[in-house]
Amino acid sequence: QVQLVESGGGLVQPGGSLRLSCAASGVIFSINAMGWYRQAPGKRRELVAAKTSGGSTIYADSVKGRFTISRDNAKNTVNLQMNSLKPEDTAVYYCSAEIKSSSWADYWGQGTQVTVSS
């Protein structure tokens, strides 16, 4: 069974920084894309950033220049460094990965709350 475990959320003031981490564990033969999504109250879940095993990266326009995704393929981990945080970044952040265990499937973490407020 595959699990994604996130850490690093919390409360931060506007302009501050947070780092989210996610580790995949279990029977894993291969991982393609790993990334982060977020969902604010009353809004749809949206892609924040993702990185493929080959290094291709995509960011939401709203976070470009402020957030950086990094990945360690050997450790099956993905991180999201969030700088210059804004109140509109407040959301539950979810780690996601496309993993081959018994077959290819998308897996999700449990979510971690990020609150940007003074």
Side-chain angles (χ1 to χ4, degrees):
Q1 185 164 348
V2 174
Q3 282 189 315
L4 298 182
V5 179
E6 302 134 336
S7 61
L11 172 65
V12 64
Q13 292 186 342
S17 297
L18 280 175
R19 182 178 176 86
L20 304 183
S21 297
C22 173
S25 62
V27 179
I28 297 172
F29 294 106
S30 185
I31 302 179
N32 188 8
M34 297 187 82
W36 293 91
Y37 289 72
R38 68 186 180 186
Q39 188 167 19
K43 294 189 176 181
R44 300 178 67 175
R45 189 173 297 189
E46 63 175 357
L47 173 69
V48 176
K51 196 174 187 76
T52 67
S53 57
S56 297
T57 304
I58 185 170
Y59 291 96
D61 287 343
S62 59
V63 307
K64 284 180 181 177
R66 300 188 298 121
F67 291 10
T68 302
I69 189 169
S70 60
R71 178 173 168 175
D72 187 327
N73 291 334
K75 296 181 178 179
N76 294 335
T77 59
V78 63
N79 301 309
L80 186 68
Q81 179 65 42
M82 305 185 293
N83 299 328
S84 302
L85 283 160
K86 304 175 181 180
E88 51 263 43
D89 294 318
T90 296
V92 177
Y93 284 69
Y94 297 90
C95 175
S96 178
E98 185 182 5
I99 296 174
K100 184 178 181 180
S101 184
S102 57
S103 61
W104 284 102
D106 292 330
Y107 292 86
W108 294 87
Q110 78 282 2
T112 185
Q113 177 70 46
V114 172
T115 302
V116 185
S117 175
S118 54

